[in-house]
Amino acid sequence: MTEPTRPLPNFEESDTAPFWEGTMDRQLRFQRCNDCDTVIFHPRRHCVGCLGHDLIWHDASGQGTVYSYSIVRQSYHPFFRQHLPYVVAWVDLDEGPRLLSNVVGIEDPSSDVHCGMAVRVEWEPHGDYAIPLFRPL
Amino acid sequence: MSVQQRDAAIVGIHEFPSRDVEGELSPLHIKAQSASKALADAGLTWSDVDGIYDAGEGGASGLTIAEYFGLSPTVIDTTNVGGSSYQFHAAHARRAIAAGKARVALLTYGSTAHSNVARIGTGGRGMGGYPADNLESFAGLTLIANYAMCARRHMFEFGTTSEQLAEISVATRFHAMRNPDAVRAMEDLEFLDIRETTVDDVVNSRMIADPLHLLECCMISDGGGAVVIAAPDVARDCRHKPVWILGTGEATKYPEGGADITSSAAVQSGPIGFGEAGVGPDEMDIAMIYDSFSITVLTILEDLGFCLKGEGGHWVEGGRLRFDQPSEGPALNTDGGGLSSNHPGMRGIFLLIEAARQLRGESTAQVEGAKLAVAHGNGGMLGSRHSAGTVVLGGD
Ligand SMILES: [Zn+2]
């Protein structure tokens, strides 16, 4: 029996592939419209702020804050059930995008995570790619 | 007050009574059985139906439904926006009837979520968009945790407490204990300790995804139902008094641009629905609000304007949502809701059914003289992408 693993994205999916390619260099990428400056996240091929398509990829600093979170105590997923309890969170990057991820590197999730907490990206390698997780600053 | 348009009315309802079909029936069976009983309730028959509305879950297209029911509809609508699909269907049916494109619309729902052991709440991610899903699926967000993040943020911004959220579960269970179908549901699904609950019971129940406790989460049942909506001249000849659709609103919301998850798409759909009906939330006798979780109800009550944003926690205190406290505002989910009666995955149709029962005077937790009700569905996931459908209903 192989160990159950984290469910991985389709790294080749056309809209999000550039994001996942960025993780090879441990860069957290997001798009901004060259015409109207709207931040686009999740990645797409068109701007939702104007009718343009000239979206430019930028590297985020990797710093952000926890917008909200939950401590998952029950899961039937073979991987996640081994890691209970674990923290899922919406993380607002300093540059604007909001990512769903896990907050790791904490001793007691009941007391060590809160809304507004500053976090920084940390990478969990999967082959050449990596999954962005977050750790308190 | 504007003149209310009485273009279409709910004339037939049926709620499939079993919450556990033990794998012996398919969703299509449940839909057909519910449809025939709702038509009988209206005093109509299959051949009267010229519009079909079904969310087409599991790949059953409008064509499949039409053939299975043996109908030749002139209008088919398989809008699927999750659990609020039936609010959207009611809105669309009313418009089709008002436009003269249909006279009798049949809305159907059937699910064997319990028999399938479709772990709606704690399994994978529930529903998700693509490619958005491709950036989220790695995080192990359960559906309950998605809603829990709304509750956590609501607590952070407004000081809302678990005790306040528990009031919603307590009121709903209070109503469920008066509904024999709900009590049997809890028995069939092997609930422990089937009785009226207290705030302490709720906050002392097991934490599933902080800050949501077990008794703040809906059940996973089988079930289904049907609703018949008809034109005024048809409605006049039906067996029961018509329940008029006075106003409808539809909306969606998603995480783009750092959306505030303490409010929902109801902020958009509510004013449209109430505005069209020419009545306000303060006039509602009944509030049928999609109770996937306690926080869903609290958020939507605020968004619909029953109280200000952030004041919902205080507003629901003291049992004011019970059917026997009519002076305090609307009675909430008088059938027992998704928390304590049934939740087969997409329970929006039951919001219409119980609201109609109340306005006919047939509920097991009847509010005396109930005249106005709102049925508000939430589909998808409150903490990320979701849909909202508001239907304002009035008695004859
Ligand atoms: Zn633009």
Side-chain angles (χ1 to χ4, degrees):
Chain A
M1 281 276 290
T2 52
E3 283 289 291
T5 55
R6 181 188 287 281
L8 295 177
N10 172 6
F11 294 116
E12 329 246 285
E13 189 278 317
S14 65
D15 281 355
T16 52
F19 175 90
W20 293 115
E21 280 165 25
T23 72
M24 293 179 168
D25 301 324
R26 305 301 186 256
Q27 287 296 342
L28 206 48
R29 289 184 180 168
F30 68 98
Q31 293 168 302
R32 189 181 281 134
C33 177
N34 206 26
D35 295 324
C36 75
D37 282 339
T38 299
V39 169
I40 310 294
F41 199 86
H42 60 89
R44 259 155 282 188
R45 299 193 176 198
H46 67 284
C47 178
V48 296
C50 70
L51 296 178
H53 294 77
D54 187 11
L55 305 184
I56 309 292
W57 286 93
H58 298 266
D59 294 336
S61 66
Q63 306 219 35
T65 56
V66 172
Y67 173 68
S68 194
Y69 69 96
S70 177
I71 306 162
V72 180
R73 298 183 187 273
Q74 181 173 322
S75 172
Y76 293 110
H77 189 282
F79 172 78
F80 290 109
R81 68 189 303 169
Q82 295 182 333
H83 293 81
L84 297 171
Y86 61 93
V87 179
V88 291
W90 284 118
V91 174
D92 284 341
L93 298 182
D94 288 355
E95 294 81 2
R98 179 175 293 170
L99 269 74
L100 186 73
S101 185
N102 301 134
V103 178
V104 298
I106 39 176
E107 290 206 352
D108 180 3
S110 298
S111 58
D112 297 353
V113 186
H114 54 266
C115 297
M117 185 170 80
V119 289
R120 177 198 287 276
V121 71
E122 107 167 12
W123 297 99
E124 180 184 278
H126 291 273
D128 291 339
Y129 294 100
I131 295 291
L133 306 177
F134 289 83
R135 179 182 289 270
L137 268 183
Chain B
M1 189 166 132
S2 61
V3 178
Q4 283 173 352
Q5 296 293 315
R6 301 199 161 201
D7 312 308
I10 295 177
V11 296
I13 53 176
H14 180 73
E15 179 178 337
F16 189 77
S18 172
R19 311 301 198 254
D20 183 3
V21 300
E22 298 173 342
E24 311 230 321
L25 293 176
S26 74
L28 215 47
H29 294 138
I30 294 172
K31 288 177 183 184
Q33 204 176 114
S34 298
S36 66
K37 297 212 175 204
L39 286 166
D41 179 62
L44 298 169
T45 189
W46 290 112
S47 59
D48 293 314
V49 176
D50 51 11
I52 60 174
Y53 295 79
D54 186 277
E57 329 86 271
S61 74
L63 178 58
T64 304
I65 298 283
E67 181 180 8
Y68 193 74
F69 291 175
L71 300 175
S72 303
T74 53
V75 176
I76 293 178
D77 185 328
T78 50
T79 299
N80 187 329
V81 288
S84 61
S85 297
Y86 311 94
Q87 278 63 48
F88 282 63
H89 293 167
H92 302 174
R94 181 197 189 202
R95 296 208 286 273
I97 289 168
K101 294 292 185 185
R103 283 165 51 76
V104 176
L106 174 62
L107 282 56
T108 48
Y109 173 52
S111 162
T112 52
H114 175 74
S115 291
N116 302 350
V117 199
R119 286 160 169 151
I120 306 170
T122 52
R125 282 193 63 260
M127 64 178 273
Y130 199 78
D133 190 51
N134 206 45
L135 280 180
E136 296 177 8
S137 57
F138 68 80
L141 176 67
T142 61
L143 188 146
I144 299 174
N146 181 294
Y147 285 74
M149 287 203 283
C150 299
R152 174 59 66 198
R153 186 72 194 183
H154 205 282
M155 290 174 166
F156 174 74
E157 288 195 27
F158 306 117
T160 310
T161 65
S162 285
E163 286 75 12
Q164 291 170 333
L165 285 167
E167 293 271 2
I168 287 154
S169 305
V170 170
T172 309
R173 178 63 68 84
F174 185 78
H175 297 150
M177 294 311 294
R178 283 150 182 80
N179 177 358
D181 283 347
V183 171
R184 200 171 62 252
M186 290 187 278
E187 289 166 358
D188 288 350
L189 300 183
E190 297 175 0
F191 274 42
L192 302 170
D193 209 13
I194 300 165
R195 57 174 171 79
E196 288 176 14
T197 50
T198 64
V199 167
D200 278 350
D201 290 330
V202 177
V203 299
N204 290 326
S205 65
R206 182 163 53 91
M207 195 73 93
I208 304 291
D210 300 40
L212 294 181
H213 303 81
L214 177 68
L215 292 181
E216 296 179 78
C217 303
C218 62
M219 63 171 73
I220 300 170
S221 68
D222 294 341
V227 169
V228 182
I229 297 172
D233 58 320
V234 177
R236 285 289 162 220
D237 294 330
C238 285
R239 285 180 55 227
H240 297 277
K241 284 189 300 183
V243 171
W244 298 99
I245 300 175
L246 303 178
T248 63
E250 301 159 64
T252 56
K253 186 170 174 175
Y254 34 86
E256 194 82 51
D260 169 14
I261 64 172
T262 66
S263 68
S264 74
V267 168
Q268 181 182 327
S269 67
I272 299 170
F274 284 121
E276 193 172 86
V279 293
D282 55 322
E283 295 172 78
M284 294 298 112
D285 301 299
I286 307 298
M288 292 300 303
I289 311 285
Y290 202 112
D291 58 340
S292 42
F293 301 93
S294 57
I295 185 62
T296 322
V297 174
L298 191 84
T299 303
I300 292 169
L301 285 170
E302 293 176 342
D303 294 344
L304 290 180
F306 285 98
C307 58
L308 294 175
K309 179 51 63 185
E311 294 181 1
H314 179 61
W315 194 77
V316 301
E317 284 178 330
R320 79 182 292 158
L321 299 170
R322 278 166 40 166
F323 82 107
D324 57 354
Q325 312 283 329
S327 62
E328 301 280 309
L332 174 76
N333 299 350
T334 48
D335 59 342
L339 291 167
S340 289
S341 179
N342 64 358
H343 194 290
M346 297 176 18
R347 88 174 301 273
I349 203 164
F350 307 117
L351 307 173
L352 297 169
I353 291 173
E354 175 65 10
R357 284 195 201 106
Q358 281 282 356
L359 298 176
R360 288 179 178 187
E362 296 172 0
S363 173
T364 48
Q366 182 64 43
V367 172
E368 278 315 309
K371 289 186 179 62
L372 287 168
V374 58
H376 181 92
N378 187 82
M381 295 205 270
L382 191 69
S384 47
R385 46 204 65 83
H386 65 266
S387 64
T390 307
V391 178
V392 181
L393 297 162
D396 196 34

